[in-house]
Each structure stands twice: as structure tokens, then as C-alpha cells.
Amino acid sequence: MADHSSFRRHPHPFSVDLVRWLPTFGSTGRLLAAAVHDPAASSSHIHLLSVSDPSTPLTSLPLPSRATALRCSPSVLAAATTSGSLHLLPSSFDTDSAVSVPSGALFHVGPVRGLDCGGGTGGEEWVTAGEDGRVHVVAGGGDGRVVARRVWEGKGMVGYQAARWASPAEFATGGAGCGVQWWDRRKGDAVVVQCKGIWGHGIVTGMVHSIDIHPSRKHICVVGGSSGTIFAWDLRWPQQPIPLSGVGLDGTAQPVCESEVWEVLFDNYTQSSDIISSASTRILPVMMCSEDGILAVVEQDERPLELLVEPCAINSFDIDPHNPSVSSWLL
């Protein structure tokens, strides 16, 4: 296993909510995007930062409210907000070319916490899932416009916290009161499989905060949620979620924390020696961060490996795809 013990700290004057590595390189090297909030000025921005000097933004995109989700694709950096809007910044990082989908009756009303990019038949498409129970697919409509198409109207009966594409036709969502849902656009934009999670095995309530799908195993999701819960969901056995961490699971999984798990990502760098092919039924290692300040790797039937423990929440992290032994995280 790699040595994860080397950390560099970069103090920032604002609250940093989310961070993502960017797939492009700037003249100063590796770039990252950070969603920041200035409580004194009640302002929120997306800052484009250079790893060599992350204290000074290269460019900044103002947001109408605090960012709740941040994702990037080869051509677009996207941010969703607490007010329910979506903002798309092209890879040229020209803020004058940014486009947005405003909040309101035709889109979302309230926080949009689920956001991901997938490749549709006509180009990139973004899925959004909000606390208002609405799910949309957003795509280019020509002439620089974007068009949001509503896939689902939950009418407040459910609230979504996470969304992740698996293929151009399939994506997963999760949140409060709905567990994890698998959608198939080929079947009328319908939920085809649903998993209530593992909270019924000893945890009173459950909330999904994050979903990841491994690029080479699109039938397997990893889910992070409330009460330190992390579990894998294999669509081949949809009613048998695999616990990786959680409180009150009668020893079936070592709890890595007891608070909210804000983000989970398959750790493509830390590979188990027991995993020899994509046909293996063993779950790949998963990296996570939590409200109680833990950054760790969890693995099926193994003790969690703590990489960092902080006295404050770790809201988000990202793994650099160009150098997966190095992670960026927020404190």
C-alpha cells in the first residue's frame, strides 16, 4: 500500500465546501476547482486554483448561493447551489461564456445535491437530483443554450442527496426516504431497481449522501450515508447490500466513524491483493471522508485504514486521476 502520510496544508480565508481536480493542465501545472463561501460578505464563488499556488485564484465564478455540488468533465466545470440553480463553466474558464439554469418551477426549488456528467447520444448530459424530489437531465440545446428535461417529480415525498451516471442510459440516485435507486432511460426514465440500504440492520434512520460507481464495474455502487454507514450495492444481487462500515451492524463491518459520511470514491490506487480481475465478487477499496474529520480507506472484511484525523469536518475530497497516489481534500 502506498504511503499516504505526507500532507500539505494550504490555509484559505473562506469556508471551502467542495473541491475537484480538473482534467486539464494550465500554464502553471495541475489545476483544481474549489467551491468557497465568504460568510462575512454572504458571497459564494467557484475558484480556479493552481496547485503550485492555491492561495490566489486564477479566475472566479460568482454563484447566487452556496454551492452544494461540484463536478467536472473534459469540457465543463459544473456547480449546483442551495437555491436550486446549475452553472456550467467551459474548459476555457472564460466566465463570460458560463451558462446557467436558474432555479424555479421549471427546474429545482431548493438545494441540488446530486450532480454528475455522463455521455449521451448527443454529447455531454448532466443529471441533477434535488432535495425537492426532482430529477432532471440537462443537455445542450444549440446556440450555446442548455435545456433541462424533468425525469421525475417527487412532489416532496422524497429528497435526493446524490446522483451518479453508470452509462449513457443508466444512473443512480440516493437520498432520504428512498435509499438508492437505479434508473434506466431505455425503460421510460423509470426506476428499475431499488435498495433500502443497511439501516434496517440496527440503525434507526438512514440518509444517502454520496454514491460512486466504478468505471470497470458498472453494476456495483458504493454508498456513503448517515451514522458512519458505507455499503456496496451489486445489481446482480440487488436486495443484498454489502456492509463496509456502519454503527449497529452486529460486527458485520468495522465502523470507520459514527457521523455523516459526506463523500465516497472507489480508490483506484490502493488495490487489494485479493482482487485480481473485474470478475471478482470482492468489493474494491473505497476512500471516504466524514463530518467528524476522518479521511480513510475501507475495504471489505478488513479494518479501516485512517489516513487523516482532523478536529473539524472534512467536507469533500478528490483523487487526482493523473496521479492517483495523491489526493486533494478539504478541511
Side-chain angles (χ1 to χ4, degrees):
M1 181 172 292
D3 179 9
H4 293 275
S5 61
S6 177
F7 297 96
R8 290 183 295 170
R9 300 175 185 272
H10 301 282
H12 203 281
F14 308 124
S15 298
V16 183
D17 294 323
L18 300 160
V19 67
R20 292 289 178 259
W21 287 103
L22 296 178
T24 55
F25 287 78
S27 59
T28 57
R30 294 295 285 120
L31 300 175
L32 60 89
V36 303
H37 176 69
D38 183 358
S42 297
S43 63
S44 298
H45 293 78
I46 299 299
H47 284 175
L48 179 69
L49 305 171
S50 170
V51 174
S52 61
D53 182 17
S55 61
T56 304
L58 301 175
T59 189
S60 182
L61 178 69
L63 299 175
S65 57
R66 200 162 182 169
T68 49
L70 185 66
R71 294 288 181 189
C72 63
S73 73
S75 61
V76 174
L77 173 65
T81 69
T82 57
S83 58
S85 59
L86 175 66
H87 304 266
L88 305 173
L89 180 66
S91 57
S92 63
F93 307 119
D94 178 8
T95 56
D96 292 334
S97 300
V99 295
S100 63
V101 181
S103 60
L106 298 179
F107 194 48
H108 289 280
V109 179
V112 179
R113 301 194 184 276
L115 174 65
D116 197 25
C117 178
T121 56
E124 286 186 350
E125 292 182 315
W126 296 84
V127 60
T128 64
E131 290 187 4
D132 56 2
R134 295 174 179 174
V135 178
H136 291 86
V137 171
V138 180
D143 300 325
R145 298 179 297 110
V146 290
V147 176
R149 182 178 64 85
R150 184 164 300 170
V151 175
W152 178 253
E153 169 62 86
K155 298 181 179 180
M157 298 301 292
V158 296
Y160 294 105
Q161 298 278 324
R164 201 72 160 172
W165 284 103
S167 72
E170 300 165 293
F171 61 89
T173 59
C178 60
V180 188
Q181 299 173 319
W182 190 271
W183 304 71
D184 193 331
R185 303 173 66 190
R186 298 163 298 189
K187 300 180 179 180
D189 290 328
V191 174
V192 293
V193 189
Q194 183 164 325
C195 175
K196 292 295 185 181
I198 60 175
W199 289 281
H201 297 275
I203 296 175
V204 177
T205 60
M207 171 86 75
V208 172
H209 294 304
S210 179
I211 299 172
D212 194 23
I213 300 173
H214 196 276
S216 66
R217 297 185 180 184
K218 297 185 182 297
H219 58 282
I220 297 178
C221 301
V222 64
V223 180
S226 54
S227 302
T229 299
I230 303 172
F231 66 90
W233 183 38
D234 191 328
L235 293 179
R236 295 171 298 181
W237 302 283
Q239 303 308 318
Q240 300 177 34
I242 303 167
L244 301 179
S245 170
V247 178
L249 295 177
D250 301 323
T252 57
Q254 293 281 345
V256 66
C257 68
E258 297 185 2
S259 66
E260 309 301 298
V261 175
W262 291 126
E263 190 146 30
V264 290
L265 291 173
F266 278 109
D267 184 358
N268 297 326
Y269 181 76
T270 304
Q271 293 291 337
S272 168
S273 59
D274 294 333
I275 301 173
I276 58 175
S277 72
S278 61
S280 171
T281 58
R282 187 175 175 84
I283 303 302
L284 294 160
V286 175
M287 191 175 286
M288 56 75 68
C289 68
S290 70
E291 175 66 23
D292 50 7
I294 294 175
L295 180 73
V297 173
V298 296
E299 190 173 346
Q300 186 179 0
D301 301 325
E302 300 287 345
R303 293 185 61 86
L305 173 64
E306 290 186 350
L307 307 178
L308 183 68
V309 179
E310 290 290 309
C312 57
I314 301 180
N315 303 318
S316 177
F317 73 96
D318 199 16
I319 300 174
D320 185 356
H322 295 285
N323 185 12
S325 63
V326 179
S327 300
S328 67
W329 55 92
L330 304 183
L331 305 179

